[in-house]
Amino acid sequence: MANTIKTKVGIIGGGPSGLLLSQLLDLKGIDSVVLERRTRDYVLGRIRAGVLEQGFTDLMREAGVAERMDAEGEIHNGFEISDMGRLHHIDLKGLTGGDTVMVYGQTEVTRDLYDAREARGGKVIHEAMDVQPHDLTSDAPYITYTRDGEKCRVDCDFIVGADGFHGVSRKSIPEDQITEYEKVYPFGWLGILSETKPVHPELIYARSERGFALCSLRSQVLSRYYVQVPLDDKVEDWSDERFWDELKARLPEDVAAKLETGPSIEKSIAPLRSFVCEPMRYGNLFLAGDAAHIVPPTGAKGLNSAASDIYYLYHAMVAHYDEGDSTGLDSYSETALRRVWKAQRFSWWMTSMLHNFPDNPDFDRKIQNIELEYFLESEAARASLAENYVGLPF
Ligand SMILES: Cc1cc2nc3c(=O)[nH]c(=O)nc-3n(C[C@H](O)[C@H](O)[C@H](O)COP(=O)(O)OP(=O)(O)OC[C@H]3O[C@@H](n4cnc5c(N)ncnc54)[C@H](O)[C@@H]3O)c2cc1C
């Protein structure tokens, strides 16, 4: 094929996983090509995660893309849980012996990664259509795609599927070679972004009779708020005014009284799902990030789990190319999945503890109430929550 590129690692997906991996590999002299279906503006327009674990921020520093994050990101030493109108502080720093999280939007992370790839002359090909990986179990896998109507091909040693939950990579693995584990929750999150001052300096996770709410933020002038909604609700059902009224009704009265409202600049509903695909490798295709696993956003683990995959994959590839040692690649799936499942457990647990499950029997509701009460009263239990929230070690 005329338009054939040769590289070491062909990466499908130009989200945070794919970009971070290509940047890290590049710094070690390992060439890669990133194929992204969308335009750069489209990718940067997606409003998603915002809470970064220490491991993620360290990886951004290792990738040489942390300057703006360190200048503009906000360190959070803790967060609040509001239980039926009463605030309880979770002192992450105190409970973990010094660990914290950073609030810095996924959009900004992605922007910094794109800028870094551009500055180093990285190959990120946007609007790559009909992307398809081939010959995955051979030593010479390749990817085909179409760009501007022309058929193109990437020849490589390895393919990394970093193309999110709906991507083509996972679907290219024969069904009998993988097992998919899934839990779909009976509600979604309606989220808005507004150019208003956050109601509280730290995040507030609120459980109320009317359902869950989250007060989050991207900066001191940009707030992100969510309310739990039934799965069949539509964005059009929710005027800004209705959203603000509902959010206030789920917060403690003194917090609601301080809430600054304004027009939403983004509004969307996301269904909540737990999902893991095992194994995360098929031949010379490696899955990473949302392509292999999804969590409900309650524990802020989605982007952070993607980062731990990239950490393992990056180190495994460096060992392979620099030292001819492929043990890291051989154990990638097992190693990554161990941490993935811990993040799954934590996200499921936070979701189960804080949301209203309309069809749950009374017994389950009683257990849910006492579970939260126990966690708020017990220092040991709060320490466990804090340890997971700041992120387990890679
Ligand atoms: C609505 C929403 C809200 C979220 N909120 C949070 C949150 O608050 N906290 C949190 O921790 N996590 C959150 N997440 C999860 C977090 O955003 C993801 O875990 C993170 O984006 C994973 O990064 P990724 O690079 O693995 O996948 P993605 O960000 O999905 O990137 C995959 C990329 O691959 C591209 N792609 C897809 N198919 C193809 C193809 N066939 N060919 C080429 N390219 C393709 C896509 O366009 C995309 O750019 C949220 C996710 C969603 C969807």
Side-chain angles (χ1 to χ4, degrees):
M1 202 176 289
N3 292 313
T4 299
I5 308 174
K6 266 192 175 310
T7 189
K8 289 197 163 94
V9 186
I11 300 174
I12 306 179
S17 298
L19 294 171
L20 183 57
L21 181 64
S22 77
Q23 172 73 4
L24 286 162
L25 292 177
D26 188 13
L27 294 178
K28 295 286 181 187
I30 301 168
D31 188 51
S32 68
V33 172
V34 177
L35 299 175
E36 166 57 50
R37 185 174 55 169
R38 304 285 191 173
T39 62
R40 179 175 166 149
D41 284 349
Y42 183 94
V43 176
L44 288 174
R46 288 190 298 225
I47 308 297
R48 290 184 169 179
V51 178
L52 310 182
E53 294 173 357
Q54 181 92 35
F56 189 104
T57 54
D58 287 347
L59 208 52
M60 290 283 283
R61 290 185 193 104
E62 192 169 344
V65 288
E67 200 177 314
R68 202 163 66 93
M69 178 190 81
D70 282 330
E72 296 176 16
E74 280 187 24
I75 299 287
H76 282 212
N77 295 331
F79 65 87
E80 304 278 353
I81 292 185
S82 160
D83 184 24
M84 302 300 170
R86 269 195 61 210
L87 283 187
H88 303 263
H89 188 244
I90 306 296
D91 174 12
L92 293 173
K93 193 170 185 182
L95 288 162
T96 59
D99 290 344
T100 57
V101 291
M102 181 179 282
V103 170
Y104 188 63
Q106 179 170 335
T107 307
E108 307 310 321
V109 168
T110 313
R111 187 185 301 282
D112 294 344
L113 286 165
Y114 270 136
D115 289 349
R117 295 313 297 126
E118 207 164 74
R120 291 184 62 86
K123 289 185 219 83
V124 181
I125 299 170
H126 284 98
E127 297 177 81
M129 309 310 290
D130 311 317
V131 172
Q132 186 61 53
H134 303 270
D135 284 4
L136 300 176
T137 53
S138 84
D139 287 340
Y142 64 97
I143 310 169
T144 53
Y145 64 99
T146 312
R147 188 149 200 285
D148 295 334
E150 275 191 71
K151 289 206 175 305
C152 310
R153 170 175 166 144
V154 176
D155 287 343
C156 46
D157 302 333
F158 301 111
I159 298 175
V160 173
D163 48 352
F165 183 65
H166 299 288
V168 66
S169 301
R170 192 180 67 250
K171 293 179 190 132
S172 307
I173 304 176
E175 271 178 31
D176 61 353
Q177 297 295 313
I178 48 172
T179 307
E180 296 185 338
Y181 301 87
E182 183 171 46
K183 181 174 178 62
V184 177
Y185 299 83
F187 40 73
W189 278 17
L190 167 67
I192 71 161
L193 191 69
S194 73
E195 286 170 330
T196 51
K197 185 174 161 49
V199 68
H200 194 73
E202 295 180 337
L203 274 72
I204 303 176
Y205 290 84
R207 176 170 177 249
S208 81
E209 298 283 2
R210 301 176 68 92
F212 172 79
L214 171 61
C215 301
S216 184
L217 60 145
R218 293 295 179 265
S219 70
Q220 285 308 311
V221 290
L222 196 58
S223 299
R224 182 79 166 146
Y225 296 110
Y226 298 93
V227 292
Q228 171 187 351
V229 293
L231 267 182
D232 49 7
D233 271 22
K234 304 267 175 295
V235 172
E236 306 78 73
D237 302 335
W238 286 86
S239 64
D240 286 357
E241 198 182 5
R242 182 178 171 206
F243 179 90
W244 292 120
D245 287 347
E246 187 57 42
L247 177 63
K248 283 182 188 173
R250 296 183 188 192
L251 298 175
E253 275 177 24
D254 55 331
V255 176
K258 284 189 305 191
L259 184 73
E260 194 180 299
T261 62
S264 61
I265 55 172
E266 195 265 356
K267 193 189 290 172
S268 52
I269 294 181
L272 266 62
R273 185 196 306 263
S274 300
F275 173 88
V276 180
C277 163
E278 289 194 2
M280 289 169 59
R281 175 182 189 177
Y282 174 67
N284 281 320
L285 168 70
F286 294 83
L287 299 178
D290 277 21
H293 43 78
I294 298 275
V295 284
T298 324
K301 290 285 166 256
L303 182 58
N304 292 303
S305 296
S308 70
D309 294 351
I310 296 308
Y311 174 88
Y312 297 127
L313 204 46
Y314 155 59
H315 284 283
M317 286 188 167
V318 171
H320 170 84
Y321 282 110
D322 283 4
E323 296 148 35
D325 175 1
S326 294
T327 50
L329 288 176
D330 292 341
S331 59
Y332 165 71
S333 176
E334 200 187 317
T335 311
L337 280 167
R338 262 205 302 277
R339 195 173 185 282
V340 161
W341 275 110
K342 287 178 188 140
Q344 288 284 340
R345 184 205 69 81
F346 180 67
S347 307
W348 160 83
W349 173 77
M350 283 274 280
T351 306
S352 307
M353 190 171 65
L354 294 173
H355 288 74
N356 276 3
F357 288 77
D359 297 331
N360 266 10
D362 289 346
F363 180 86
D364 293 27
R365 243 172 270 177
K366 284 284 192 186
I367 292 290
Q368 192 186 12
N369 290 343
I370 212 68
E371 169 109 15
L372 186 53
E373 191 177 309
Y374 164 66
F375 264 85
L376 295 174
E377 282 171 356
S378 160
E379 170 111 0
R382 274 185 288 126
S384 164
L385 187 159
E387 180 189 31
N388 281 276
Y389 193 85
V390 299
L392 297 173
F394 287 169

